[in-house]
Amino acid sequence: MWHLFSKNGDQVQAAAGVGSHFIFNNLLQFAWTMLFVRGHFFWSEVILVVNFFNLSSLYFRHNTYARAIHIPAVSGPLAWNFVALYWNGAIAVNAHTLPARILANIAIWGILVYGLFFLIIFKVCCLSNRVDGFSNRVDEF
């Protein structure tokens, strides 16, 4: 929100660029929460899948924005959503049998593979010193 009122036009553009996806993410998170607490795990998983595609689209379209915009509006929600897919999915299928636990132990490596994908393809722009011309200095934010 802070960047929408910045004097730097690039920061305003970046903050506005993620706005529609971030608002849709918040609406889907609300829907997921309402379904999850009421025990509708299958439908809450569907909401998480839709949100996963929304946030993945956001990441692929806006992966070079400043860290102060990218981490809280793009990377953080995407990471939470990816873990929530596994968590909610395990609850939805009642994963208490041996085959389900074996599958879960294999599938959990997907978190590592997904993380490595972003590390290799995007060079983890959140961890670099300079991203898209924005420096790491606090006074610019």
Side-chain angles (χ1 to χ4, degrees), residues 22-90:
F22 191 66
I23 291 168
F24 191 48
N25 166 58
N26 289 336
L27 292 172
L28 290 172
Q29 279 298 120
F30 176 76
W32 173 78
T33 303
M34 291 296 109
L35 290 168
F36 184 82
V37 299
R38 287 170 175 76
H40 301 289
F41 301 118
F42 174 77
W43 290 111
S44 63
E45 186 74 9
V46 170
I47 294 293
L48 285 173
V49 169
V50 170
N51 200 16
F52 178 74
F53 285 115
N54 169 49
L55 292 171
S56 294
S57 154
L58 173 61
Y59 193 98
F60 293 129
R61 290 177 60 202
H62 305 289
N63 63 338
T64 59
Y65 284 165
R67 283 180 282 166
I69 295 171
H70 186 79
I71 292 171
V74 183
S75 296
L78 181 58
W80 155 250
N81 193 269
F82 190 73
V83 172
L85 280 167
Y86 284 126
W87 176 42
N88 191 81

Side-chain angles (χ1 to χ4, degrees), residues 19 32 53 70 80 82 86 93 97 105 115 117 124 134 138:
W32 173 78
F53 285 115
H70 186 79
W80 155 250
F82 190 73
Y86 284 126
V93 298
T97 63
N105 282 314
F117 168 76
V124 186
F134 296 118
V138 176

Side-chain angles (χ1 to χ4, degrees), residues 6 10 16 45 55 74 80 98 107 114 121 140-141:
S6 173
D10 291 337
E45 186 74 9
L55 292 171
V74 183
W80 155 250
L98 180 63
Y114 195 63
I121 299 299
E140 289 186 8
F141 297 111

